[in-house]
Amino acid sequence: NWSKAAELQKEAVEVNRRSGKEKEIIFSLANLGTTYIQNNEPQKALETLYEAADMAFKNKDVFTETRVLSSIGYAYEET
């Protein structure tokens, strides 16, 4: 159930935002973006994934940035 998954992942993003731990925020955003792709919501996916990619870039987290950029490419395939 991708809708339920997205709902729970949005909660995880908010919990991580409150914690202030950027690595966890990026991870949660990337997961949420991927779920939006699976839920046939490519526009939401792109918005979420671009936020994650930007944060990863600012944090010099090349591994995660690369993973997220790959997901962005996939989201564009779905638009």
Side-chain angles (χ1 to χ4, degrees):
N1 185 330
W2 293 110
S3 295
K4 184 64 175 176
E7 193 178 302
L8 292 168
Q9 288 174 345
K10 283 191 274 187
E11 284 183 47
V13 169
E14 292 312 310
V15 168
N16 284 322
R17 285 189 199 279
R18 287 193 301 270
S19 78
K21 296 180 181 176
E22 292 205 7
K23 189 169 187 165
E24 284 81 3
I25 297 167
I26 296 164
F27 181 77
S28 295
L29 285 169
N31 285 341
L32 177 58
T34 302
T35 299
Y36 281 141
I37 293 169
Q38 296 301 319
N39 202 34
N40 199 29
E41 298 180 83
Q43 195 56 44
K44 283 184 178 180
L46 288 169
E47 292 168 9
T48 304
L49 291 167
Y50 272 114
E51 182 180 356
D54 185 53
M55 288 180 74
F57 175 78
K58 288 178 182 173
N59 282 283
K60 299 179 181 169
D61 183 349
V62 177
F63 175 78
T64 303
E65 182 184 5
T66 302
R67 178 179 168 254
V68 173
L69 289 172
S70 241
S71 294
I72 290 171
Y74 182 63
Y76 274 112
E77 290 175 7
E78 299 300 310
T79 59

